[in-house]
Amino acid sequence: GGRRALEFIDKRMGRLLSEEGIADYIRNQGSLAEKVTRLLEIYAVTFGPNNKKVIEGFLQRYFADEDFDRRLLTGEGSGAHKLRILANLYRAIVAAPLGTAEKGAFAQKISAMQTAFITSTRFFASIEKQVLPTAKKAFQVIDYCEEGCFIPGDNLEKAKALVRHYTTRPDFMDSYLGHIPSADGKRELLATLKERLDKLGIPLPVPQR
């Protein structure tokens, strides 16, 4: 036990965490997001400063790549799917035991990427253009929020602002409750709506009379 045991673990791990070994492992991990996530998972269980530096080196090279943004979001999938990729990676970075400065830089980069993606694809505007009742548009955005598609901060707040916009429209309640004939049924739906809005910190709209 004690210091000698820690030195033994450090050296043993060092033999496993060679540049070549990590490169071979990461090569088979699928998408770029999956590769970076696996590196963060390895880092979380890595012991010893020299061993950690090996993993840090891989992470730094990925994030410094000029083509990192494009490579991360290349491939098939909806806009919501790509937002979720970024949000999941952001959460993995925040949870990793990285140094404060490095964690902040990585997290800020991913957050900025999501902001740029939302802007360039006009993600929220595309929801507004859909020929759907107001309630369906509202619940579409609520679903995205609950699924963790948005990174906390400006992106999540913009999504919540859009939910508030839809739920306070004059036609929202009619599009949500208009097809329900019974008062009990309406109360049940309102309770469901309140529960979901409460989780987002959004007040239940007052039904229009």
Side-chain angles (χ1 to χ4, degrees):
R3 182 177 177 180
R4 293 190 64 182
L6 296 177
E7 290 174 350
F8 173 78
I9 294 172
D10 191 347
K11 291 179 181 179
R12 182 68 179 269
M13 188 168 281
R15 288 195 290 271
L16 298 173
L17 296 178
S18 65
E19 291 270 351
E20 297 78 11
I22 294 297
D24 287 342
Y25 174 74
I26 291 301
R27 192 175 296 117
N28 300 317
Q29 292 305 303
S31 69
L32 179 56
E34 291 169 326
K35 294 179 193 297
V36 174
T37 300
R38 294 293 89 75
L39 284 171
L40 291 167
E41 290 172 350
I42 294 171
Y43 188 86
V45 296
T46 296
F47 180 83
N50 291 330
N51 297 329
K52 285 181 176 291
K53 283 181 181 178
V54 173
I55 310 300
E56 288 169 359
F58 277 92
L59 289 168
Q60 289 164 354
R61 286 193 291 275
Y62 275 128
F63 278 86
D65 184 354
E66 293 181 356
D67 210 24
F68 180 75
D69 297 30
R70 185 193 64 78
R71 289 177 60 203
L72 193 62
L73 296 178
T74 292
E76 298 181 1
S78 65
H81 173 70
K82 293 181 178 182
L83 290 177
R84 198 177 296 112
I85 287 174
L86 292 168
N88 287 340
L89 186 52
Y90 176 90
R91 283 188 281 271
I93 291 167
V94 170
L98 294 162
T100 302
E102 196 166 45
K103 178 183 292 193
F106 290 167
Q108 184 176 16
K109 183 178 180 69
I110 297 299
S111 182
M113 284 177 61
Q114 190 179 74
T115 299
F117 180 80
I118 290 171
T119 301
S120 66
T121 61
R122 296 178 58 80
F123 183 78
F124 294 130
S126 67
I127 295 173
E128 175 60 23
K129 289 181 180 178
Q130 294 176 4
V131 184
L132 292 172
T134 296
K136 285 190 177 296
K137 291 181 181 180
F139 279 102
Q140 188 176 159
V141 184
I142 291 171
D143 287 342
Y144 291 151
C145 290
E146 291 181 341
E147 291 166 8
C149 289
F150 302 107
I151 291 173
D154 288 346
N155 297 334
L156 178 57
E157 292 307 313
K158 287 176 182 176
K160 289 161 65 174
L162 186 57
V163 173
R164 286 192 291 271
H165 167 70
Y166 286 133
T167 57
T168 55
R169 278 187 176 179
D171 64 333
F172 172 77
M173 280 299 175
D174 185 58
S175 67
Y176 181 49
L177 302 174
H179 64 292
I180 305 297
S182 70
D184 287 344
K186 293 180 189 295
R187 279 194 293 270
E188 185 176 340
L189 280 185
L190 281 174
T192 299
L193 174 62
K194 183 179 187 306
E195 182 180 355
R196 298 186 72 181
L197 292 179
D198 283 348
K199 292 177 182 178
L200 299 177
I202 298 173
L204 182 71
V206 177
Q208 299 292 316
R209 294 186 180 275

